[in-house]
Amino acid sequence: MEFFSLNGKQVSRIGLGTWAIGGGEWGAVSEDDAVATCRVIFDLGMNLIDVAPIYGHGRSEEIVGKAMREHGRREDFYIATKAGLEWNERGVFSNSEPARLRQEFEDSLRRLRTDYVDLYQIHWPDTTIPVERAAEVMRELLGAGRIRAVGVSNFSVAQMEAFAAIAPVHSNQPPYNIFEREIDVEILPYCERRGIAVLTYSSLCRSLLAGRLTAETPIPEGDIRRLDPKFQQPRFGQYLRAVAGLDAFAQKQFGKRVVHLAVRWILDRPGISAALWGAKRPAQLDAVKEILGWKLDAEAMAEVDRIVTEYVTDPVGPEYLTPGVRS
Ligand code: NAP
């Protein structure tokens, strides 16, 4: 495994993303599979698990808590959880009111069955109040030793700057994958300059880059990908043709598959610390072994760009994931 340093801790450059194991928007996952997925990371040399209260409305944190208890050694895990999203019958909204953040923190500790969080992240900026309000709570938790590092997610450069005036920003978690590179323009160079670790989400573009989907693959009712404009025809066809092109290139050039290329591509981009890999069962992480021991050079990076440009003529970003603004 490759590692990076996050506020003095060694963290694996591939992390398990646990949104899907909470069920809900990704279909049912059995508790045994979910817990086993969190525990298999050690067989692969990983220690990073990303989670959040919103995932399965608390369920993913409970699963991670159960896995830590079964494993027995809390300190083996590097747990990155989040705060700042509320959900109700009307939808999902950013909410970084300090009282809410403090309550969320206690709720997360209870679900995770731990007394500290390795990396605590503000999930989405709350644009109804200054980001400094959230930063004050994070500074307080860090100062008290209840969290070991502070992160943000989905923040702009201006929001990170304002936050950093109050509390350290050790990490940022934006979307990033071969098809979604909006952060290349401003956010990634900023983080690199400031020494802010970058943990990327949707590394497999919500399974598109895993290579198992075809135009005929059924996407069940209620699955988050039904809302994703990439998964709607005719655009879906463009993305699938690009995936086929990338898979052919990965096989010919490296003897690998598109899922391996997708994650290696992220790790070889300048300024990236770790790629989060959403998995529902241990077997989905088998492919992690194939990511290590090779690299994409400039020529390979250029070929990936060429394939994407050739097939994806009507690209769209991950904006549909943006939560609502509370009133
Ligand atoms: P992703 O990693 O892009 O894709 C995950 C999906 O790909 C899995 O649920 C699985 O779906 C499929 N998959 C995984 N491994 C596979 C394999 N070996 N073969 C075939 N299919 C495979 O998904 P993501 O959930 O968007 O991102 C990963 C993590 O990032 C999340 O779990 C979460 O921790 C984090 N995240 C954070 C934010 C944020 O706002 N901060 C937003 C989104 C996600 P199927 O089996 O259904 O195909």
Side-chain angles (χ1 to χ4, degrees), residues 146-210:
R146 305 192 76 199
I147 63 175
R148 305 286 158 87
V150 176
V152 296
S153 179
N154 302 299
F155 271 46
S156 67
V157 166
Q159 287 161 337
M160 281 189 275
E161 288 265 277
F163 193 102
I166 307 292
V169 180
H170 296 117
S171 72
N172 181 24
Q173 187 181 135
Y176 195 54
N177 59 62
I178 286 178
F179 294 139
E180 295 172 336
R181 310 179 185 190
E182 289 76 1
I183 63 166
D184 275 342
V185 179
E186 223 188 355
I187 290 173
L188 205 42
Y190 172 82
C191 290
E192 207 181 356
R193 275 200 309 279
R194 294 297 173 102
I196 297 171
V198 175
L199 284 60
T200 66
Y201 74 74
S202 290
S203 305
L204 301 176
C205 203
R206 301 169 293 284
S207 84
L208 201 45
L209 284 161

Side-chain angles (χ1 to χ4, degrees), residues 17-20 26 50 55 82 123-124 153-154 173 201-207 210 212 225 276-278 280 284:
T18 60
W19 184 5
W26 294 81
D50 181 73
Y55 302 158
K82 316 188 188 81
H123 205 149
W124 280 86
S153 179
N154 302 299
Q173 187 181 135
Y201 74 74
S202 290
S203 305
L204 301 176
C205 203
R206 301 169 293 284
S207 84
R212 101 174 158 81
R225 288 160 288 196
L276 299 175
W277 185 318
K280 292 171 160 171
Q284 287 193 326

Side-chain angles (χ1 to χ4, degrees), residues 65-138:
K66 186 165 183 204
M68 289 201 287
R69 197 185 44 171
E70 283 185 8
H71 176 78
R73 285 186 307 277
R74 162 68 182 89
E75 65 279 11
D76 287 354
F77 291 83
Y78 191 91
I79 301 297
T81 192
K82 316 188 188 81
L85 280 186
E86 68 169 322
W87 60 91
N88 57 39
E89 60 293 337
R90 288 180 296 112
V92 178
F93 304 90
S94 307
N95 187 340
S96 284
E97 286 292 349
R100 185 186 161 84
L101 295 182
R102 289 192 189 96
Q103 184 58 49
E104 277 200 56
F105 181 67
E106 301 303 331
D107 291 344
S108 287
L109 291 187
R110 178 177 39 78
R111 288 189 289 254
L112 290 164
R113 306 175 202 213
T114 184
D115 56 3
Y116 71 95
V117 167
D118 297 282
L119 172 64
Y120 204 41
Q121 307 156 100
I122 297 294
H123 205 149
W124 280 86
D126 178 350
T127 52
T128 67
I129 56 173
V131 291
E132 287 87 341
R133 303 283 300 281
E136 282 159 12
V137 178
M138 299 300 253

